[in-house]
Structure formats: C-alpha cells, structure tokens
Amino acid sequence: MATMKLLYAPTSPFVRKVMVCAHLTGQADQIEWLPSAAHPIRRDDRIAAHNPLAKVPTLILDDGQSLYDSRVICEYLASVAGDTQLFPADAARRWQALMQQALGDGLLDAALLARYERTARPAERQWTDWYDAQLVKVEAGLTAIEAQASALALNPTIGEITLGCALGYLDFRFPELDWPARYPEAARWHGVFRTLPAMQATLPHDA
Ligand SMILES: N[C@@H](CCC(=O)N[C@@H](CS)C(=O)NCC(=O)O)C(=O)O
C-alpha cells in the first residue's frame, strides 16, 4: 500500500536518484507516482502546493508533510528503511559518498541549465557563451569522475547512485557529447552499473 506520494517526471535525473534509492531500500511499491510538469518558466501549481521551488522530486508523506530536494528525500528513504549502505556512518566513506553526490548533482545542474538554454529560452535570446560555459562544467565533472572511476563500487552509496544517474542523463539528453569515448574508466564502470536492476527499472524516458 502506498504511504508516500512522489511528484515526479520520468525524464528527471534527480527523480531517478530517488527512484533508485526507493528500489534499493524496498520501498518502490510504497510510493504513488504523481505526474507533474516541472519547468523553469511555467510553474506547475501541483508541485508548488508542496514545494515553493516548484521542482521535482518532491515527496509528500502520509501526514501531508513534504520533503525536497533529492538529497533530502534519498536520505529520508534510507533512514526510514534503516539502511546503512546508501549513507555510510563511517566518516571517511560518508564524506566520500556525499562529495560524489555533490559532484553528480553539480554536473546535472550544469547540464540542465544548458538544456534549458536551448529548450526553454526563445531562440533569439539564446547565449552561446552561457551554453558553452555549462558544458565546460560538465566536461570538468566528467574529468573528476574519470579520475575516481576505478574506485567506484557496484554496491552503491548515494555517491555512486548520483554519478550513475548523471552519466545516464548525459546518454539520454546529450548523446552528441559521446562522453564514453573520452572517459574510458568512467564508461567501463557505468557500463556495468547501468545493468543493476534498480538502474534498469528507472531508465529515463520521454512521457
Ligand atoms: N537540487 C534539486 C534539483 C531538482 C531539479 O532541478 N529538478 C528539475 C527537473 S530535473 C526541475 O524541477 N526543474 C524545474 C525548474 O527548474 O524550475 C534536487 O536535487 O532535487
């Protein structure tokens, strides 16, 4: 029985982080997935009623309390399930996982800004320098992932989940970057990580 509702989009990499955590902690069937249309310009009142930022993911608990953003929701799901793998207690592993999450989230923020520049802004107002600068952040993020790829695990923390969702988003929305050709260690890890059942069950797709 569903005890939580998630305002979600099947294309969102931040929603995917939450869905992967829900699968890994055995809570996917306790979540009712509520469709929404998050957009930087067109505010979706269905989301705004629960999150002033009107972004997905937004989780609504049984008592009506809402939780956002993906970082908070993922940690909430791990805590409710008594999971100690996703957010390790050991200090060194915890900071590493949280840093990896920050890296993946930051790469995604830049990729999303680049995509919004091309898809949400009228063509005559688009700024190539802005777009290119976001892609510089994406490439620098990929370089950082490549440098640590040999240490990435398949029994994931929130760090690996976020990096997996970030790389999956680039495959989905920026195939022309062909990042696997230039970051072979990251590509090798992601090639196996993407086959995990929780990743396969949450592949992004246009609605
Ligand atoms: N830091 C947030 C980012 C969430 C985010 O940017 N979500 C996008 C969809 S992928 C969104 O709702 N965009 C609408 C907007 O920018 O207003 C998180 O981790 O959940």
Coordinates of all heavy atoms in Angstrom, one line a residue, residues 125-199:
R125 N 17.0 34.8 -28.0 CA 17.7 35.2 -26.8 C 18.7 34.3 -26.2 O 19.3 34.5 -25.2 CB 16.6 35.4 -25.7 CG 15.6 36.5 -26.0 CD 14.9 37.0 -24.8 NE 13.7 37.6 -25.1 CZ 12.5 37.5 -24.4 NH1 12.5 36.8 -23.3 NH2 11.5 38.1 -24.8
Q126 N 18.9 33.2 -27.0 CA 19.9 32.2 -26.5 C 21.3 32.7 -26.6 O 21.7 33.5 -27.5 CB 19.8 30.9 -27.3 CG 18.5 30.2 -27.0 CD 18.3 28.9 -27.8 OE1 19.3 28.4 -28.3 NE2 17.1 28.4 -27.8
W127 N 22.1 32.3 -25.6 CA 23.5 32.9 -25.4 C 24.5 31.7 -25.5 O 24.5 30.9 -24.6 CB 23.6 33.6 -24.1 CG 24.9 34.3 -23.9 CD1 25.9 34.6 -24.8 CD2 25.3 34.9 -22.6 NE1 26.9 35.3 -24.2 CE2 26.6 35.5 -22.9 CE3 24.7 35.0 -21.3 CZ2 27.3 36.1 -21.8 CZ3 25.4 35.6 -20.3 CH2 26.7 36.2 -20.6
T128 N 25.2 31.6 -26.6 CA 26.1 30.5 -26.8 C 27.2 30.4 -25.7 O 27.6 29.3 -25.3 CB 26.8 30.6 -28.2 OG1 25.8 30.7 -29.2 CG2 27.7 29.4 -28.5
D129 N 27.7 31.6 -25.3 CA 28.7 31.6 -24.2 C 28.2 30.9 -22.9 O 29.0 30.2 -22.2 CB 29.2 33.0 -23.9 CG 30.1 33.6 -25.0 OD1 30.3 32.9 -26.0 OD2 30.4 34.8 -24.9
W130 N 27.0 31.2 -22.6 CA 26.4 30.6 -21.4 C 26.3 29.1 -21.6 O 26.7 28.3 -20.7 CB 25.0 31.2 -21.2 CG 24.2 30.5 -20.2 CD1 23.4 29.4 -20.3 CD2 24.1 30.8 -18.8 NE1 22.8 29.0 -19.2 CE2 23.3 29.9 -18.2 CE3 24.7 31.8 -18.0 CZ2 23.0 29.9 -16.8 CZ3 24.4 31.8 -16.6 CH2 23.6 30.9 -16.1
Y131 N 25.8 28.6 -22.7 CA 25.6 27.2 -23.0 C 27.0 26.5 -22.9 O 27.2 25.5 -22.3 CB 25.0 27.0 -24.4 CG 24.8 25.6 -24.8 CD1 23.7 24.9 -24.4 CD2 25.8 24.9 -25.5 CE1 23.5 23.6 -24.8 CE2 25.6 23.5 -25.8 CZ 24.4 22.9 -25.5 OH 24.3 21.6 -25.8
D132 N 28.0 27.1 -23.6 CA 29.3 26.5 -23.6 C 29.9 26.5 -22.2 O 30.6 25.5 -21.9 CB 30.3 27.3 -24.6 CG 29.9 27.2 -26.0 OD1 29.1 26.3 -26.3 OD2 30.4 28.0 -26.8
A133 N 29.7 27.5 -21.4 CA 30.3 27.5 -20.1 C 29.7 26.4 -19.2 O 30.4 25.8 -18.4 CB 30.1 28.9 -19.4
Q134 N 28.4 26.1 -19.4 CA 27.8 25.0 -18.7 C 28.4 23.7 -19.1 O 28.7 22.8 -18.3 CB 26.3 24.9 -18.9 CG 25.5 26.2 -18.5 CD 25.9 26.7 -17.1 OE1 26.1 25.9 -16.1 NE2 26.1 28.0 -17.0
L135 N 28.7 23.5 -20.4 CA 29.3 22.3 -20.9 C 30.8 22.1 -20.4 O 31.2 21.0 -20.3 CB 29.2 22.2 -22.4 CG 27.8 21.9 -22.9 CD1 27.8 21.5 -24.4 CD2 27.1 20.7 -22.2
V136 N 31.4 23.3 -20.2 CA 32.8 23.2 -19.6 C 32.7 22.6 -18.2 O 33.5 21.7 -17.8 CB 33.4 24.6 -19.5 CG1 34.6 24.6 -18.6 CG2 33.8 25.1 -20.9
K137 N 31.6 23.0 -17.4 CA 31.4 22.3 -16.1 C 31.1 20.8 -16.3 O 31.6 20.0 -15.5 CB 30.3 23.0 -15.4 CG 30.5 24.4 -14.9 CD 29.3 25.0 -14.2 CE 29.3 26.5 -14.1 NZ 30.2 27.0 -13.1
V138 N 30.3 20.5 -17.2 CA 30.0 19.1 -17.5 C 31.3 18.3 -17.8 O 31.6 17.2 -17.2 CB 29.0 18.9 -18.6 CG1 28.9 17.4 -19.0 CG2 27.6 19.4 -18.2
E139 N 32.1 18.8 -18.6 CA 33.4 18.1 -19.0 C 34.3 18.1 -17.8 O 35.0 17.0 -17.6 CB 34.1 18.9 -20.2 CG 33.4 18.8 -21.5 CD 33.4 17.4 -22.1 OE1 34.2 16.5 -21.7 OE2 32.5 17.1 -22.9
A140 N 34.4 19.1 -17.0 CA 35.3 19.1 -15.8 C 34.8 18.1 -14.8 O 35.5 17.4 -14.2 CB 35.3 20.5 -15.2
G141 N 33.4 18.0 -14.7 CA 32.8 17.0 -13.9 C 33.2 15.6 -14.3 O 33.5 14.7 -13.6
L142 N 33.1 15.4 -15.7 CA 33.5 14.0 -16.2 C 34.9 13.7 -16.0 O 35.3 12.6 -15.6 CB 33.2 14.0 -17.7 CG 31.7 13.9 -18.1 CD1 31.5 14.3 -19.6 CD2 31.2 12.5 -17.9
T143 N 35.8 14.7 -16.0 CA 37.2 14.5 -15.8 C 37.4 14.1 -14.3 O 38.2 13.1 -14.0 CB 38.0 15.8 -16.0 OG1 37.8 16.2 -17.4 CG2 39.5 15.6 -15.7
A144 N 36.7 14.7 -13.4 CA 36.7 14.3 -12.0 C 36.2 12.9 -11.8 O 36.7 12.1 -11.0 CB 36.0 15.3 -11.1
I145 N 35.1 12.5 -12.5 CA 34.6 11.2 -12.3 C 35.6 10.1 -12.9 O 35.8 9.1 -12.3 CB 33.2 11.0 -13.1 CG1 32.2 12.0 -12.4 CG2 32.7 9.6 -13.0 CD1 30.9 12.1 -13.2
E146 N 36.2 10.5 -14.0 CA 37.2 9.6 -14.6 C 38.3 9.3 -13.7 O 38.8 8.1 -13.5 CB 37.7 10.2 -15.9 CG 38.8 9.4 -16.7 CD 38.2 8.2 -17.4 OE1 37.0 8.0 -17.4 OE2 39.0 7.4 -18.0
A147 N 38.7 10.3 -12.9 CA 39.9 10.2 -12.0 C 39.6 9.2 -10.9 O 40.5 8.6 -10.3 CB 40.3 11.6 -11.5
Q148 N 38.3 9.1 -10.5 CA 38.0 8.2 -9.4 C 37.2 7.0 -9.8 O 36.8 6.2 -9.0 CB 37.2 9.0 -8.3 CG 35.9 9.6 -8.8 CD 35.3 10.5 -7.7 OE1 34.7 10.0 -6.8 NE2 35.4 11.8 -7.9
A149 N 37.1 6.8 -11.1 CA 36.2 5.7 -11.6 C 36.7 4.3 -11.2 O 35.9 3.4 -10.9 CB 36.1 5.7 -13.1
S150 N 38.0 4.1 -11.0 CA 38.5 2.7 -10.7 C 38.1 2.4 -9.3 O 38.1 1.2 -8.9 CB 40.0 2.6 -10.9 OG 40.6 3.6 -10.0
A151 N 37.7 3.4 -8.4 CA 37.3 3.1 -7.0 C 35.8 3.1 -6.9 O 35.3 2.8 -5.8 CB 37.9 4.2 -6.1
L152 N 35.1 3.3 -8.0 CA 33.6 3.3 -7.8 C 33.1 1.8 -7.7 O 33.6 0.9 -8.4 CB 33.0 4.0 -9.0 CG 33.2 5.5 -9.1 CD1 32.6 6.0 -10.4 CD2 32.7 6.2 -7.9
A153 N 32.1 1.7 -6.8 CA 31.6 0.4 -6.5 C 30.3 0.0 -7.2 O 29.7 0.9 -7.8 CB 31.3 0.3 -5.0
L154 N 29.9 -1.2 -7.2 CA 28.6 -1.7 -7.8 C 27.6 -1.9 -6.7 O 26.4 -2.0 -6.9 CB 28.8 -3.0 -8.6 CG 29.7 -2.8 -9.8 CD1 30.0 -4.2 -10.4 CD2 29.2 -1.8 -10.8
N155 N 28.1 -2.0 -5.4 CA 27.2 -2.0 -4.3 C 27.1 -0.6 -3.8 O 28.0 -0.1 -3.0 CB 27.8 -2.9 -3.2 CG 26.9 -3.1 -2.0 OD1 25.7 -2.9 -2.1 ND2 27.4 -3.5 -0.9
P156 N 26.1 0.2 -4.3 CA 26.3 1.7 -4.3 C 26.0 2.4 -3.0 O 25.1 2.0 -2.3 CB 25.4 2.1 -5.4 CG 24.3 1.1 -5.4 CD 24.9 -0.2 -5.0
T157 N 26.7 3.5 -2.8 CA 26.2 4.5 -1.8 C 25.5 5.6 -2.7 O 25.4 5.5 -3.9 CB 27.4 5.2 -1.2 OG1 28.1 5.9 -2.2 CG2 28.4 4.2 -0.5
I158 N 25.0 6.6 -2.0 CA 24.3 7.7 -2.7 C 25.3 8.4 -3.7 O 24.9 8.9 -4.7 CB 23.8 8.8 -1.7 CG1 22.9 9.7 -2.4 CG2 24.9 9.5 -1.0 CD1 21.7 9.2 -3.1
G159 N 26.6 8.2 -3.4 CA 27.6 8.8 -4.3 C 27.5 8.1 -5.7 O 27.4 8.8 -6.7
E160 N 27.6 6.8 -5.7 CA 27.6 6.1 -7.0 C 26.3 6.2 -7.7 O 26.2 6.3 -8.9 CB 27.9 4.6 -6.7 CG 29.4 4.3 -6.7 CD 29.9 4.0 -5.3 OE1 29.1 3.9 -4.3 OE2 31.1 3.8 -5.1
I161 N 25.2 6.2 -6.9 CA 23.8 6.3 -7.5 C 23.8 7.7 -8.2 O 23.3 7.7 -9.4 CB 22.8 6.3 -6.4 CG1 22.7 4.8 -5.8 CG2 21.4 6.7 -6.9 CD1 21.8 4.7 -4.6
T162 N 24.2 8.7 -7.6 CA 24.2 10.1 -8.2 C 25.0 10.1 -9.5 O 24.6 10.6 -10.5 CB 24.6 11.2 -7.2 OG1 23.8 11.0 -6.1 CG2 24.3 12.5 -7.8
L163 N 26.2 9.6 -9.4 CA 27.1 9.6 -10.6 C 26.5 8.7 -11.7 O 26.6 9.1 -12.9 CB 28.5 9.1 -10.2 CG 29.3 10.0 -9.2 CD1 30.7 9.4 -8.9 CD2 29.5 11.4 -9.7
G164 N 25.9 7.6 -11.3 CA 25.3 6.8 -12.3 C 24.1 7.5 -13.0 O 23.9 7.4 -14.2
C165 N 23.3 8.2 -12.2 CA 22.2 9.0 -12.8 C 22.7 10.1 -13.6 O 22.1 10.5 -14.7 CB 21.3 9.5 -11.7 SG 20.4 8.2 -10.8
A166 N 23.8 10.7 -13.2 CA 24.4 11.8 -14.0 C 24.8 11.3 -15.4 O 24.5 11.9 -16.4 CB 25.5 12.5 -13.3
L167 N 25.6 10.2 -15.4 CA 26.1 9.7 -16.6 C 24.9 9.2 -17.5 O 24.9 9.4 -18.7 CB 27.1 8.6 -16.4 CG 28.4 9.0 -15.6 CD1 29.2 7.8 -15.3 CD2 29.2 10.0 -16.4
G168 N 23.9 8.6 -16.9 CA 22.8 8.2 -17.6 C 22.0 9.3 -18.3 O 21.5 9.2 -19.4
Y169 N 22.0 10.5 -17.6 CA 21.3 11.7 -18.1 C 22.1 12.2 -19.4 O 21.4 12.6 -20.3 CB 21.2 12.8 -17.1 CG 20.4 14.0 -17.5 CD1 19.0 13.9 -17.7 CD2 21.0 15.1 -17.9 CE1 18.3 15.0 -18.2 CE2 20.3 16.2 -18.3 CZ 19.0 16.2 -18.4 OH 18.2 17.2 -18.9
L170 N 23.4 12.2 -19.3 CA 24.2 12.6 -20.5 C 23.9 11.7 -21.7 O 23.7 12.2 -22.8 CB 25.7 12.6 -20.1 CG 26.1 13.7 -19.1 CD1 27.6 13.6 -18.9 CD2 25.7 15.1 -19.4
D171 N 23.8 10.4 -21.4 CA 23.4 9.5 -22.5 C 22.1 9.8 -23.1 O 21.9 9.7 -24.3 CB 23.4 8.0 -22.0 CG 24.8 7.4 -21.7 OD1 25.8 8.0 -22.2 OD2 24.9 6.5 -21.0
F172 N 21.1 10.2 -22.2 CA 19.7 10.4 -22.6 C 19.6 11.7 -23.3 O 18.9 11.8 -24.4 CB 18.9 10.4 -21.3 CG 17.4 10.6 -21.5 CD1 16.7 9.9 -22.4 CD2 16.8 11.6 -20.7 CE1 15.3 10.2 -22.6 CE2 15.4 11.9 -20.9 CZ 14.7 11.1 -21.8
R173 N 20.2 12.8 -22.8 CA 19.9 14.1 -23.3 C 21.0 14.7 -24.1 O 20.8 15.7 -24.9 CB 19.6 15.1 -22.2 CG 18.2 14.9 -21.6 CD 17.1 15.0 -22.6 NE 15.8 15.2 -21.9 CZ 14.6 14.9 -22.5 NH1 14.6 14.4 -23.7 NH2 13.5 15.1 -21.8
F174 N 22.3 14.2 -24.0 CA 23.4 14.8 -24.7 C 24.2 13.7 -25.4 O 25.4 13.6 -25.2 CB 24.3 15.5 -23.7 CG 23.7 16.8 -23.1 CD1 22.9 16.7 -22.0 CD2 24.0 18.0 -23.7 CE1 22.3 17.9 -21.4 CE2 23.4 19.2 -23.1 CZ 22.6 19.1 -22.0
P175 N 23.5 12.8 -26.2 CA 24.3 11.7 -26.8 C 25.4 12.2 -27.7 O 26.4 11.5 -27.9 CB 23.2 11.0 -27.6 CG 22.1 12.0 -27.8 CD 22.1 12.9 -26.6
E176 N 25.2 13.5 -28.2 CA 26.2 14.0 -29.2 C 27.6 14.3 -28.5 O 28.6 14.4 -29.1 CB 25.7 15.3 -29.8 CG 25.6 16.5 -28.9 CD 24.3 16.5 -28.0 OE1 23.6 15.5 -28.1 OE2 24.1 17.5 -27.3
L177 N 27.6 14.4 -27.1 CA 28.8 14.5 -26.4 C 29.7 13.3 -26.5 O 30.9 13.4 -26.4 CB 28.6 14.8 -24.9 CG 28.0 16.2 -24.5 CD1 27.9 16.3 -23.0 CD2 28.9 17.3 -25.1
D178 N 29.1 12.1 -26.7 CA 29.8 10.8 -26.7 C 30.8 10.7 -25.7 O 32.0 10.4 -25.9 CB 30.4 10.6 -28.1 CG 30.8 9.2 -28.3 OD1 30.4 8.3 -27.6 OD2 31.7 8.9 -29.2
W179 N 30.4 11.0 -24.4 CA 31.4 11.1 -23.3 C 32.1 9.7 -23.1 O 33.3 9.8 -22.8 CB 30.7 11.5 -22.0 CG 29.7 10.5 -21.4 CD1 28.4 10.5 -21.7 CD2 30.0 9.4 -20.6 NE1 27.8 9.4 -21.0 CE2 28.8 8.8 -20.4 CE3 31.2 8.9 -20.0 CZ2 28.7 7.6 -19.6 CZ3 31.1 7.8 -19.3 CH2 29.9 7.1 -19.0
P180 N 31.5 8.5 -23.4 CA 32.2 7.3 -23.1 C 33.5 7.2 -24.0 O 34.5 6.5 -23.6 CB 31.2 6.2 -23.5 CG 29.9 6.8 -23.3 CD 30.1 8.3 -23.8
A181 N 33.5 7.8 -25.1 CA 34.7 7.7 -26.0 C 35.9 8.4 -25.4 O 37.1 8.1 -25.7 CB 34.4 8.3 -27.4
R182 N 35.6 9.4 -24.5 CA 36.7 10.2 -24.0 C 37.0 9.9 -22.5 O 38.0 10.4 -22.0 CB 36.4 11.7 -24.1 CG 36.5 12.1 -25.6 CD 36.0 13.5 -25.9 NE 34.6 13.7 -25.7 CZ 34.0 14.3 -24.7 NH1 34.7 15.0 -23.8 NH2 32.7 14.4 -24.6
Y183 N 36.2 9.2 -21.8 CA 36.4 8.9 -20.4 C 36.2 7.4 -20.2 O 35.2 6.9 -19.7 CB 35.4 9.7 -19.6 CG 35.5 11.2 -19.8 CD1 34.6 11.8 -20.7 CD2 36.4 11.9 -19.1 CE1 34.8 13.2 -20.9 CE2 36.6 13.3 -19.3 CZ 35.7 13.9 -20.2 OH 35.9 15.3 -20.4
P184 N 37.2 6.6 -20.6 CA 37.0 5.1 -20.7 C 36.8 4.4 -19.4 O 36.1 3.5 -19.3 CB 38.4 4.7 -21.4 CG 39.3 5.8 -21.2 CD 38.5 7.0 -21.2
E185 N 37.5 4.9 -18.3 CA 37.3 4.3 -17.0 C 35.9 4.5 -16.5 O 35.2 3.6 -16.0 CB 38.3 4.8 -16.0 CG 39.8 4.4 -16.2 CD 40.0 2.9 -16.2 OE1 39.3 2.3 -15.3 OE2 40.7 2.4 -17.0
A186 N 35.4 5.7 -16.6 CA 34.0 6.0 -16.2 C 33.0 5.2 -17.0 O 32.0 4.7 -16.5 CB 33.8 7.5 -16.3
A187 N 33.3 5.1 -18.3 CA 32.4 4.3 -19.2 C 32.4 2.9 -18.8 O 31.3 2.2 -18.9 CB 32.9 4.5 -20.7
R188 N 33.6 2.3 -18.5 CA 33.6 0.9 -18.1 C 32.8 0.7 -16.8 O 32.0 -0.3 -16.8 CB 35.1 0.5 -17.8 CG 35.3 -1.0 -17.8 CD 36.8 -1.3 -17.8 NE 37.5 -0.8 -19.1 CZ 38.6 0.0 -19.1 NH1 39.2 0.3 -18.0 NH2 39.1 0.4 -20.2
W189 N 33.0 1.6 -15.8 CA 32.2 1.4 -14.6 C 30.7 1.6 -14.9 O 29.9 0.7 -14.5 CB 32.6 2.4 -13.5 CG 31.7 2.5 -12.4 CD1 31.6 1.5 -11.4 CD2 30.6 3.4 -12.1 NE1 30.6 1.8 -10.5 CE2 30.0 3.0 -10.9 CE3 30.1 4.5 -12.8 CZ2 28.9 3.7 -10.4 CZ3 29.1 5.2 -12.2 CH2 28.5 4.8 -11.1
H190 N 30.3 2.6 -15.6 CA 28.9 2.9 -15.9 C 28.3 1.8 -16.7 O 27.1 1.4 -16.6 CB 28.8 4.2 -16.6 CG 27.3 4.6 -16.9 ND1 26.8 4.8 -18.1 CD2 26.3 4.9 -16.0 CE1 25.5 5.1 -18.0 NE2 25.2 5.2 -16.7
G191 N 29.1 1.2 -17.6 CA 28.6 0.1 -18.5 C 28.1 -1.1 -17.6 O 27.1 -1.8 -18.0
V192 N 28.7 -1.3 -16.5 CA 28.2 -2.4 -15.6 C 27.1 -1.9 -14.6 O 26.1 -2.5 -14.4 CB 29.4 -3.0 -14.8 CG1 28.9 -4.2 -13.9 CG2 30.5 -3.5 -15.7
F193 N 27.4 -0.7 -14.1 CA 26.5 -0.1 -13.1 C 25.1 0.1 -13.7 O 24.1 -0.2 -13.0 CB 27.0 1.3 -12.6 CG 26.3 1.8 -11.4 CD1 26.5 1.3 -10.2 CD2 25.3 2.8 -11.6 CE1 25.8 1.8 -9.1 CE2 24.6 3.3 -10.5 CZ 24.8 2.8 -9.3
R194 N 25.0 0.5 -14.9 CA 23.7 0.7 -15.5 C 22.8 -0.6 -15.7 O 21.6 -0.5 -15.9 CB 23.9 1.3 -16.9 CG 24.5 0.4 -17.9 CD 25.0 1.1 -19.1 NE 23.8 1.6 -19.9 CZ 23.9 2.0 -21.1 NH1 25.0 2.1 -21.8 NH2 22.8 2.4 -21.7
T195 N 23.5 -1.7 -15.5 CA 22.7 -3.0 -15.7 C 22.1 -3.4 -14.3 O 21.3 -4.4 -14.3 CB 23.6 -4.2 -16.2 OG1 24.6 -4.5 -15.2 CG2 24.3 -3.8 -17.5
L196 N 22.4 -2.7 -13.2 CA 21.8 -3.1 -12.0 C 20.3 -3.0 -12.1 O 19.8 -2.1 -12.7 CB 22.3 -2.2 -10.8 CG 23.8 -2.2 -10.5 CD1 24.0 -1.3 -9.3 CD2 24.2 -3.6 -10.1
P197 N 19.5 -3.9 -11.5 CA 18.1 -3.9 -11.6 C 17.5 -2.5 -11.2 O 16.5 -2.1 -11.9 CB 17.6 -5.0 -10.6 CG 18.8 -6.0 -10.6 CD 20.0 -5.1 -10.8
A198 N 18.0 -1.9 -10.2 CA 17.4 -0.6 -9.8 C 17.7 0.5 -10.9 O 16.8 1.4 -11.0 CB 18.0 -0.1 -8.5
M199 N 18.7 0.4 -11.6 CA 19.0 1.3 -12.7 C 18.2 1.0 -13.9 O 17.6 1.9 -14.5 CB 20.5 1.3 -13.0 CG 21.4 1.9 -12.0 SD 21.1 3.6 -11.6 CE 21.9 4.4 -13.0

